[in-house]
Amino acid sequence: HPELNPDDAASVVLLPGLMCDATVWQGVINRWTLPQPLVVAEYGFCDDLTEMARRVLRAHPGRLNIAGHSMGGRVALEMMKLAPDRIARVALLGTGFESLPAGEAGQIERAKRQHLMDVARHSGVRVMASDWVKGMVPANRLDDRTLIDPILEMFAMRSVDHFEAQIKALLNRPNATDTLKTWSGRVWVVA
């Protein structure tokens, strides 16, 4: 049928952010009514964004529509670079595209991430998540147990080793400026 776009049949892969799983996509999953298969990617203990992208591409063959949240957006950018012919549409949600900044800004980011790593090692992932969530959720929502408790539980399901691997991946993130500049397909960006 000439009105049908073959990309409309591509599977949809949701790419979660740091320490996240299907919990962060539950609203999308609950409301999904389109015929395309919908799956949430898993990175295992990968400590490299490019390897995370390779893992997702291997696990989900064929043409893909991808949506990446935070760190998942960085995985999406790597998928775009590695397999542009397989990526139909892209949504980048609350993510960045540049590498770790040089100088003081990079040192500050490293120190903040190291602090969270130290808390996770000494007090557990859930305690670390209680600290981390303060910078990720608007202050007026921090007392909303319906929002916060699932986030803390989601983090608590992961290990310190997961956290360490993903922090390493983020600190060594590639600069995706060229990927975005040369991309000819559709991209939706939500800050």
Side-chain angles (χ1 to χ4, degrees):
H1 193 275
E3 295 167 9
L4 294 177
N5 179 338
D7 292 337
D8 291 341
S11 297
V12 177
V13 179
L14 305 174
L15 302 160
L18 177 70
M19 296 290 279
C20 295
D21 59 21
T23 303
V24 299
W25 294 107
Q26 205 57 56
V28 173
I29 293 166
N30 291 344
R31 290 169 184 81
W32 192 254
T33 59
L34 298 174
Q36 297 93 338
L38 178 71
V39 294
V40 178
E42 175 58 50
Y43 311 124
F45 290 93
C46 290
D47 63 0
D48 178 87
L49 293 169
T50 304
E51 186 52 40
M52 288 178 190
R54 285 188 184 112
R55 178 184 172 111
V56 174
L57 288 164
R58 282 191 305 268
H60 306 286
R63 196 109 162 106
L64 303 173
N65 293 306
I66 56 177
H69 154 252
S70 191
M71 183 186 77
R74 292 185 181 276
V75 174
L77 289 162
E78 289 302 293
M79 291 172 69
M80 292 162 65
K81 182 170 66 176
L82 292 171
D85 57 316
R86 291 196 45 211
I87 307 303
R89 296 182 182 106
V90 180
L92 301 174
L93 313 167
T95 192
F97 60 91
E98 296 177 328
S99 57
L100 184 72
E104 187 178 350
Q107 292 171 352
I108 290 169
E109 181 179 334
R110 278 188 189 282
K112 286 180 180 179
R113 292 189 188 276
Q114 185 60 53
H115 167 73
L116 291 171
M117 192 71 245
D118 293 343
V119 171
R121 278 194 194 110
H122 295 98
S123 302
V125 173
R126 186 180 175 94
V127 171
M128 178 278 298
S130 297
D131 188 23
W132 173 87
V133 78
K134 293 173 189 170
M136 297 293 127
V137 174
N140 66 338
R141 299 287 310 274
L142 289 173
D143 292 329
D144 180 351
R145 300 321 314 165
T146 304
L147 174 66
I148 300 300
D149 288 344
I151 294 171
L152 298 181
E153 287 304 314
M154 176 179 62
F155 268 63
M157 298 294 291
R158 304 283 187 175
S159 69
V160 173
D161 291 338
H162 273 111
F163 190 54
E164 186 170 20
Q166 291 185 3
I167 290 296
K168 180 179 177 186
L170 287 171
L171 288 173
N172 294 312
R173 63 191 180 260
N175 188 319
T177 301
D178 288 342
T179 301
L180 285 170
K181 283 182 178 179
T182 60
W183 185 254
S184 62
R186 295 182 181 182
V187 177
W188 289 267
V189 177
V190 180

